[in-house]
């Protein structure tokens, strides 16, 4: 039985590329050049899907556990294939080596924080949000940024990623970290990014 190369829309509304319907896509390839292409395609798919669903973390367990939020990408029931945990680890390591993800928490290799936006891009999103919502020169806690009363592009961002974005803005004199009663706050400052 041959499987036609076709795209497929998942229940969440994500359009899977046609390569997702090819059984070899789910298997680690012995040829390094072929595997490099497979890894590149998986990386593109993972980052694109993460952005679509606003997912920040990917775990090796997501390949093992049926019913995870990653199921519709890591499995293809139509061709009875799924990404194996060892292949997932290989792809995650490649993403980390290219700064498209970081191991989070550090010093382990089973969970990554995905960079579907690089920390530098998050810094720009963060400063733009602060400017457009009249938050410049106002001290905000990290919690107020992560869980704002009105959903924003930063809603749900992991604190470690938010801290990296704030650090980038601090280096360009567009933010400063300030001690507040329950921890740390951030004051956003007007200014142009250093070019």
């Amino acid at each position: 039985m041959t499987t036609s190369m076709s795209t497929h829309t998942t229940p969440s509304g994500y359009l899977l590329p046609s390569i997702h319907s090819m059984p070899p896509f789910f298997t680690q390839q012995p040829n390094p050049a072929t595997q490099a292409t497979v890894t590149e395609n998986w990386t593109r798919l993972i980052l694109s899907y993460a952005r679509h669903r606003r997912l920040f973390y990917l775990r090796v367990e997501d390949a093992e556990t049926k019913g995870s939020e990653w199921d519709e990408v890591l499995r293809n029931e139509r061709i009875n294939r799924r990404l194996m945990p060892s292949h997932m680890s290989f792809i995650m390591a490649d993403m980390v080596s290219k700064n498209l993800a970081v191991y989070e928490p550090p010093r382990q290799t089973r969970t990554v924080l995905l960079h579907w936006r690089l920390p530098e891009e998050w810094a720009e999103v963060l400063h733009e949000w602060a400017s457009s919502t009249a938050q410049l020169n106002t001290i905000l806690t990290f919690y107020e940024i992560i869980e704002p009363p009105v959903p924003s592009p930063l809603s749900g961002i992991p604190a470690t990623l938010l801290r990296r974005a704030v650090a980038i803005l601090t280096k360009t004199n567009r933010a400063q970290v300030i001690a507040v009663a329950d921890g740390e706050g951030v004051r956003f400052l007007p200014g142009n990014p250093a070019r």
Side-chain angles (χ1 to χ4, degrees):
M1 182 173 135
T2 60
T3 307
S4 64
M5 287 279 291
S6 62
T7 58
H8 178 73
T9 303
T10 67
S12 75
Y14 183 78
L15 182 64
L16 289 167
S18 57
I19 195 169
H20 195 265
S21 64
M22 293 179 60
F25 184 56
F26 290 86
T27 309
Q28 227 167 325
Q29 300 298 312
N31 179 305
T34 305
Q35 181 57 45
T37 301
V38 168
T39 301
E40 185 181 309
N41 279 293
W42 267 114
T43 298
R44 195 174 310 126
L45 175 60
I46 287 167
L47 292 175
S48 172
Y49 184 75
R51 182 183 279 253
H52 169 76
R53 295 278 312 269
R54 291 191 58 81
L55 301 174
F56 290 96
Y57 292 98
L58 180 63
R59 297 164 188 83
V60 172
E61 290 74 27
D62 292 326
E64 300 170 305
T65 312
K66 194 166 171 87
S68 85
E69 57 198 354
W70 287 94
D71 245 14
E72 55 187 28
V73 167
L74 302 181
R75 295 176 184 276
N76 186 335
E77 301 293 344
R78 294 171 297 128
I79 59 170
N80 197 28
R81 290 286 189 275
R82 70 183 178 98
L83 191 63
M84 301 308 288
S86 59
H87 195 183
M88 171 78 95
S89 292
F90 180 87
I91 293 165
M92 288 166 49
D94 187 74
M95 292 174 76
V96 168
S97 76
K98 294 176 177 158
N99 194 34
L100 297 172
V102 292
Y103 289 116
E104 184 66 38
R107 294 186 291 285
Q108 56 78 45
T109 57
R110 296 198 55 89
T111 303
V112 292
L113 173 59
L114 298 166
H115 286 170
W116 44 269
R117 273 194 180 123
L118 293 172
E120 295 79 8
E121 294 170 303
W122 280 112
E124 295 308 316
V125 169
L126 179 56
H127 197 268
E128 174 57 35
W129 171 79
S131 300
S132 67
T133 58
Q135 304 286 348
L136 294 180
N137 294 313
T138 303
I139 299 172
L140 296 168
T141 64
F142 283 87
Y143 178 80
E144 290 171 312
I145 297 167
I146 294 170
E147 299 292 336
V150 176
S152 83
L154 299 151
S155 296
I157 186 174
T160 53
L161 191 51
L162 179 57
R163 285 185 189 287
R164 288 189 194 122
V166 168
I168 291 163
L169 291 176
T170 302
K171 285 181 192 157
T172 58
N173 298 319
R174 294 186 292 153
Q176 61 188 147
V177 177
I178 296 172
V180 293
D182 54 352
E184 291 179 312
V186 184
R187 174 186 286 141
F188 295 100
L189 307 168
N192 297 321
R195 295 274 180 229

